[in-house]
Amino acid sequence: METDRGDRWHGELLDLDAYLTRIGHTGERAPTLAALRALHRAHVTSLPFENVDAVLGVPVLVDVESVQRKLVRGRRGGYCYEHVVLFAAALERLGFRFTAMSGRVTLGRDKILPATHALLAVTAADDDRRWLCDVGFGGGPLGPVELADGAAADFDGWRYRLARRQGADGIDQWWLHEYGPDGWVDRHTFTLNPQYAIDFVVGSHFVGTHPRSPFTKRLFVQRFTAGRHDVLDGSLRTTTLPDGTRTERKIHPAELPALLTEEFGIDLGSAALARLQDGLVPG
């Protein structure tokens, strides 16, 4: 019997049929590049990003069974660790090879921030290249980006590029840039240092509980599709299109239940909704 050293992602615990149904994937179930692209797009466009539990002080569990109960069986979303644990379990189950990684979200800021973003570097059985899969950011990309210096990708008008820079002590730093209303901006930086499920438990604990984590202070919800990126940051509702066109407005707390259900695809109980409405803060 194979010993679990902590380097597995427990794909055997995933209800694969339910997951694929939830994201609307009806294509092949094989570790091919075509399947990886289809799975990535389906996951990103079907499962919303949200931090409701962290805002309400509810423990965010990132084991496979907890994540699939919330994101697959429930009509909920999650933040990066939840998304990536779920996607990793599916990839492992389907036979892909991959390395989990941690990134530092920058969004153009010249400041070292904690490595609290989860990512995957994936290799398909029919392609020797490695692909950056970033399914948990909430704002795309729609598909994998080749993990190569200078690699560029355009998904239905959403543009990204990767750059590798020499870092301290010979450890290369990778940067993912995205093109937005204000031009190119670096979104996050990461190294290829492998991370494991226990590392994501530690990172998620900070994100979901620490008073300095922005996710414990205000509601943050995202829905991303080929045609639009919808964001609710506190009470600020923003929609961005692939061409950079952006509209925004402040919402009233009374709008929150319908907005979460109808536009972001998130169903919450009445008690949770009431607490969110009472604590809705400006974006």
Side-chain angles (χ1 to χ4, degrees), residues 5-6 20 23 30 38 52 65 72 89-90 113-114 121 129 136 152 164 173 199-200 208 244 250 263 271:
R5 300 174 51 250
L20 296 179
I23 66 173
V52 170
E65 291 178 310
V72 176
L113 297 171
R129 292 170 292 179
R164 182 174 62 193
Q173 294 179 337
D199 297 313
F200 284 0
K250 292 293 184 69
E263 297 194 36

Side-chain angles (χ1 to χ4, degrees), residues 223-236:
R223 192 71 183 263
F224 190 79
T225 66
R228 58 193 291 162
H229 180 203
D230 293 304
V231 177
L232 180 61
D233 184 354
S235 62
L236 183 63

Side-chain angles (χ1 to χ4, degrees), residues 40-41 44 132-135 137 139-145 153 155 158 160 176 178 187-188 224:
H40 194 296
R41 177 178 283 247
V44 167
L132 177 67
C133 289
D134 189 6
V135 299
F137 195 81
L142 289 168
V145 179
F155 301 102
W158 304 100
Y160 307 85
L176 179 68
E178 64 180 4
R187 190 164 91 174
H188 51 64
F224 190 79

Side-chain angles (χ1 to χ4, degrees), residues 250-271:
K250 292 293 184 69
I251 70 163
H252 188 276
E255 299 179 69
L256 188 61
L259 186 64
L260 290 178
T261 301
E262 298 170 11
E263 297 194 36
F264 290 97
I266 296 171
D267 285 344
L268 300 173
S270 57

Side-chain angles (χ1 to χ4, degrees), residues 88-242:
L91 295 185
E92 184 180 76
R93 181 78 170 270
L94 293 170
F96 287 94
R97 293 182 291 115
F98 59 88
T99 299
M101 306 174 297
S102 290
R104 302 178 189 274
V105 176
T106 54
L107 296 177
R109 289 169 291 185
D110 185 19
K111 181 180 180 180
I112 295 177
L113 297 171
T116 54
H117 182 53
L119 303 154
L120 295 174
V122 185
T123 303
D126 61 344
D127 190 285
D128 292 334
R129 292 170 292 179
R130 300 180 80 186
W131 298 86
L132 177 67
C133 289
D134 189 6
V135 299
F137 195 81
L142 289 168
V145 179
E146 184 182 356
L147 192 54
D149 188 20
D154 186 324
F155 301 102
D156 298 290
W158 304 100
R159 297 164 59 193
Y160 307 85
R161 67 186 185 194
L162 272 169
R164 182 174 62 193
R165 306 174 190 170
Q166 184 175 2
D169 302 317
I171 300 174
D172 285 346
Q173 294 179 337
W174 290 82
W175 296 77
L176 179 68
H177 298 80
E178 64 180 4
Y179 193 83
D182 301 318
W184 286 104
V185 61
D186 51 275
R187 190 164 91 174
H188 51 64
T189 178
F190 59 95
T191 69
L192 302 185
N193 180 44
Q195 301 288 286
Y196 302 100
I198 189 61
D199 297 313
F200 284 0
V201 171
V202 174
S204 178
H205 180 68
F206 174 87
V207 172
T209 67
H210 199 281
R212 290 184 61 185
S213 168
F215 286 171
T216 64
K217 297 175 181 177
R218 68 178 187 272
L219 183 64
F220 194 63
V221 184
Q222 300 185 78
R223 192 71 183 263
F224 190 79
T225 66
R228 58 193 291 162
H229 180 203
D230 293 304
V231 177
L232 180 61
D233 184 354
S235 62
L236 183 63
R237 170 80 161 82
T238 304
T239 297
T240 305
L241 304 182

